[in-house]
Amino acid sequence: MSKRARGRAHARTTRRRPVRAPLRRVVAMATGAALVAGTATGCFAEPSAMPTVRDFLIAWQVGNYKAASKLTTGADQTAVERTLGQVRTQLDAVSMKLALGVPVQPGSNRKTGVAIVKKGDSADARFSVKFDLGENGKPWTYTGLMRLKRIGGHWKVVWDPSIIHPRLKEGQRLAVVTETPNRETIRDSKDRSLLSPVAATVVGVTPGRLADPKRTLDQLAKATRLDGNRRLDVTRLLGRVRSAPPQQFLPLLTLQRPTHNALIMQLRGIAGVEVTTRALPIGAAQAPEVVGTLGPATADKLQTVGAPYQPGDTIGTEGLQLHQQRRLAGTPTVRVVAQDAAGKDVQELISWPGETPQPVRTFLSRDLQKRADQALAGVPYPASMVAVRSAQGEVWAAANHNTGGKNLALEGHYPPGATFAIIAAGPLMNAGVTLNTKVPCPARVDVGGGGAIVNPAGARPAAPFQNHLAQSCATLLASLAGKVDNGTLMSAVARFGFGKNLNLSVPSFSGTVPAPANDGEKAALLAGQGKVRVSPLSMALVAGATEVGNWRPPQLLQNPRNTELAPSQALDSTTSGDLERMLRLSTRQGAARSAGARSAELGMVATVTYPENGQNKTVSWFVGSNGGYGFAIAVEGKADMARIVGDFLSGTSSAPAGTTPPAR
């Protein structure tokens, strides 16, 4: 045979078929293979055994299990190939790295670093193993041992399950056990739970009973496709199922009844899916948009909450349940165990203790929240309301009605209309306008660009400034735009926290008040229209600030306490007294009186029609304060504010029990 022919024959006998592996593991495998080869060259004691050890470790690491099994003796090679191939699956490992030798620690006897020790026709080889278990836990590192025998002049690995792990015995397998602690509760200002028991169905599988795990999980993911086409990550979910104890029920979804009855019936029809119904304390007893909901760990939600949560977990999906997920749920204890053929845990090989769940305590007042919910209950439009403690900014109530699950109380974007006079009147009074200055209330003020501010009641004759404000004249402030410069105006706006990051623990909107680019925009800004947008939260803070003379950042949580609050802002003391008199006049003699708010110390109403997405929309407002708390109500339509404000203020107490109005 020619030299070239012999070379081709040699290439045919030594070439291995490439093994397909998930992309995320390829780089780690290649790096580990190089490490094995490099370490083996420097550490081994008996040259004749080294190639076998090296080739076995490389083949095992890169997934060429057939090649690795051919280097063994003492067991059926097909069984060895199957066993080696199951290790990563049983651990749901992201990667596995193998290296010949035992790492030598500083100051230790360097003989411990010897990789292969030969005794005649027998040898012991030590190697290091490192599994990256991904979300299942920290990297798992240990020292492995294999025994070799020289047979007919060739070294063979004497197969034993202890090669996989020193404590693994014949007939045993690895499994990952995840122990999830009971979730803690969200509580009100008096440390009472804001959650209530609801009928829930837990959906899951017993891995060892699945004839085709991928098919079952594909059907499960298809059936549970959520809003926006969000789905469960089947690839990661499959890894979790395969690594779980085969004979133990693995919960994958928790669904509430009767909301998800149709989906539950559909899931019952999927082969291998098991369901069980029980009462679980996961429903929101009050303020559901703030408390939040629980749901499946879809890929997008997992990006928010991060490790160690995995597909198949039930996690917070909205509100405090989402944004306080780690505190409320803690983290699971993860154990790697050896199991016998019956699925019984024989021994624990390693564990990572989880974190204990802790409750979340809010400032929400059951009394005030109940009154807010009842006040909005009869409104036919989306309506929202916030009440805050004036002196501290504590959120005592956040109510939403007909909002489709949206938390408009904290996140709504609306023009404030004439209620913006609480902010804008101060700069005008500093510019020389007094409460008694006679000014007109025109029917219309053009603001440029084809736009105009219109007073729904039409023109009113000249009257004292405070009288027109008390009647919520929409055009009054716009008509006086020339009396105040942009710098003074924006300085006053800044004192009320608009545009600040509120760090409220749940999404919130502090408002946007862009600096005007021209006189028209300034007129619109003063009238609370144009580009100005606020939320009920931001206007409740305005009402509270006017009552105590300081704007305070909102606080939702007592524990954990927010330590990154925006700084408080003192209002202009020269005008704060005038603002109070103006708002008191509004509630006793002006437009707010017709809104049923006579018992409120301070308050103002407004109705604004504005364009949005090519359509005209209307929002009705009441912004006021009453005995130590500020509140704001926004209704997306023309509403009977007399009933809403009256119902809210008719409660038996004007402040949560155990609190007193702030000293003035």
Side-chain angles (χ1 to χ4, degrees):
M1 183 182 295
S2 69
K3 228 181 240 186
R4 180 176 298 176
R6 284 197 301 273
R8 286 197 298 267
H10 177 72
R12 283 195 298 272
T13 57
T14 59
R15 185 181 298 119
R16 299 188 178 102
R17 292 182 62 189
V19 178
R20 294 184 179 273
L23 182 59
R24 65 178 179 173
R25 298 176 180 167
V26 170
V27 174
M29 292 176 182
T31 304
L35 179 61
V36 170
T39 307
T41 303
C43 294
F44 106 99
E46 171 52 59
S48 59
M50 183 271 286
T52 298
V53 176
R54 178 197 62 201
D55 291 350
F56 177 83
L57 293 177
I58 291 177
W60 182 14
Q61 178 170 284
V62 302
N64 195 343
Y65 308 120
K66 187 171 186 178
S69 69
K70 287 182 177 180
L71 297 171
T72 65
T73 186
D76 177 71
Q77 290 183 353
T78 302
V80 172
E81 178 185 353
R82 181 174 60 252
T83 301
L84 289 173
Q86 291 172 341
V87 174
R88 274 204 194 99
T89 301
Q90 291 169 357
L91 295 174
D92 191 22
V94 175
S95 66
M96 177 182 73
K97 295 181 181 180
L98 304 170
L100 185 58
V102 181
V104 180
Q105 299 298 324
S108 65
N109 185 345
R110 293 196 62 82
K111 289 184 179 180
T112 60
V114 176
I116 302 175
V117 178
K118 174 181 173 295
K119 298 178 182 178
D121 288 338
S122 298
D124 289 344
R126 296 186 180 278
F127 58 99
S128 64
V129 183
K130 182 178 181 180
F131 285 105
D132 181 357
L133 302 184
E135 294 86 356
N136 282 323
K138 298 176 181 178
W140 181 27
T141 303
Y142 59 89
T143 299
L145 172 68
M146 71 176 80
R147 291 183 168 82
L148 295 98
K149 182 184 291 186
R150 185 156 48 191
I151 302 173
H154 298 285
W155 287 97
K156 292 284 188 178
V157 176
V158 180
W159 176 253
D160 190 274
S162 64
I163 292 173
I164 295 171
H165 188 277
R167 288 191 280 161
L168 197 66
K169 295 180 174 56
E170 189 66 42
Q172 296 178 355
R173 58 156 278 167
L174 300 175
V176 177
V177 179
T178 302
E179 298 170 347
T180 303
N182 291 331
R183 193 179 184 93
E184 263 288 3
T185 60
I186 299 171
R187 302 177 181 179
D188 69 6
S189 59
K190 287 196 167 184
D191 209 26
R192 298 170 295 189
S193 177
L194 285 168
L195 302 177
S196 59
V198 296
T201 295
V202 180
V203 181
V205 298
T206 301
R209 298 178 186 172
L210 297 178
D212 188 342
K214 187 176 186 308
R215 177 181 174 84
T216 297
L217 296 176
D218 278 338
Q219 292 178 343
L220 179 69
K222 184 178 180 180
T224 56
R225 186 178 299 172
L226 304 175
D227 295 338
N229 203 31
R230 295 183 288 116
R231 298 181 62 174
L232 298 171
D233 187 330
V234 174
T235 300
R236 292 175 63 190
L237 193 58
L238 183 61
R240 185 177 186 187
V241 169
R242 287 173 172 169
S243 67
Q247 306 308 321
Q248 295 181 19
F249 175 76
L250 178 65
L252 299 178
L253 296 171
T254 300
L255 302 172
Q256 290 190 33
R257 291 178 174 271
T259 306
H260 296 114
N261 279 353
L263 174 58
I264 293 167
M265 291 300 296
Q266 186 177 356
L267 295 177
R268 286 182 182 273
I270 299 176
V273 169
E274 303 172 36
V275 299
T276 178
T277 300
R278 63 188 71 164
L280 296 176
I282 60 176
Q286 285 189 319
E289 294 81 8
V290 176
V291 171
T293 55
L294 299 176
T298 54
D300 60 316
K301 294 303 180 186
L302 285 173
Q303 289 180 356
T304 301
V305 301
Y309 310 106
Q310 307 176 69
D313 287 338
T314 295
I315 62 174
T317 56
E318 302 290 344
L320 288 172
Q321 293 282 27
L322 169 62
H323 296 281
Q324 293 291 321
Q325 163 67 21
R326 194 176 188 96
R327 181 181 177 90
L328 290 165
T331 59
T333 292
V334 178
R335 301 188 298 127
V336 178
V337 299
Q339 292 189 326
D340 61 20
K344 180 181 178 181
D345 294 354
V346 177
Q347 60 179 323
E348 181 183 289
L349 304 180
I350 191 172
S351 67
W352 294 272
E355 298 173 9
T356 303
Q358 298 180 63
V360 169
R361 186 174 178 180
T362 71
F363 284 109
L364 293 174
S365 158
R366 277 195 183 184
D367 173 62
L368 218 59
Q369 182 69 44
K370 181 179 179 180
R371 287 163 50 190
D373 289 334
Q374 290 176 340
L376 300 182
V379 179
Y381 310 111
S384 50
M385 178 179 181
V386 173
V388 300
R389 186 181 183 188
S390 300
Q392 299 297 333
E394 297 161 359
V395 178
W396 281 352
N400 293 277
H401 172 69
N402 277 343
T403 64
K406 295 179 181 179
N407 193 0
L408 297 181
L410 305 183
E411 299 182 74
H413 288 55
Y414 305 111
T419 63
F420 201 69
I422 303 172
I423 298 99
L428 286 170
M429 287 190 283
N430 278 331
V433 178
T434 69
L435 293 182
N436 294 314
T437 300
K438 284 197 172 184
V439 290
C441 175
R444 172 190 178 100
V445 174
D446 293 320
V447 295
I453 306 299
V454 177
N455 191 44
R460 295 178 180 272
F465 180 67
Q466 62 179 337
N467 290 16
H468 282 319
L469 283 181
Q471 295 297 332
S472 297
C473 175
T475 56
L476 172 64
L477 297 181
S479 68
L480 299 174
K483 292 185 176 294
V484 62
D485 62 86
N486 282 3
T488 301
L489 178 58
M490 296 311 296
S491 177
V493 166
R495 294 192 182 100
F496 288 91
F498 296 113
K500 293 186 183 296
N501 183 357
L502 299 178
N503 292 316
L504 196 61
S505 304
V506 293
S508 60
F509 178 57
S510 65
T512 55
V513 185
N518 51 53
D519 289 344
E521 288 188 4
K522 182 166 62 173
L525 186 157
L526 284 165
Q529 299 189 38
K531 298 178 181 178
V532 179
R533 291 294 182 272
V534 297
S535 64
L537 171 65
S538 62
M539 292 307 288
L541 293 170
V542 165
T546 304
E547 184 180 21
V548 298
N550 284 277
W551 178 87
R552 303 285 186 180
Q555 299 182 71
L556 180 61
L557 302 184
Q558 293 190 56
N559 191 19
R561 194 82 177 204
N562 185 0
T563 58
E564 298 181 358
L565 295 174
S568 300
Q569 299 285 335
L571 303 189
D572 187 341
S573 59
T574 62
T575 60
S576 60
D578 286 342
L579 284 174
E580 285 190 33
R581 285 191 289 274
M582 176 191 77
L583 295 175
R584 189 172 288 110
L585 181 66
S586 177
T587 57
R588 294 180 180 179
Q589 300 179 24
R593 178 184 181 185
S594 65
R598 285 186 69 182
S599 61
E601 290 187 357
L602 310 171
M604 200 163 187
V605 297
T607 300
V608 191
T609 299
Y610 62 102
E612 184 173 282
N613 299 325
Q615 295 182 334
N616 282 335
K617 289 193 168 185
T618 297
V619 59
S620 299
W621 282 99
F622 180 89
V623 177
S625 60
N626 187 52
Y629 63 88
F631 63 99
I633 306 170
V635 178
E636 294 186 10
K638 292 183 178 180
D640 181 1
M641 298 303 290
R643 187 196 67 78
I644 298 172
V645 178
D647 286 352
F648 176 67
L649 294 175
S650 64
T652 55
S653 63
S654 62
T659 65
T660 56
R664 292 303 308 276

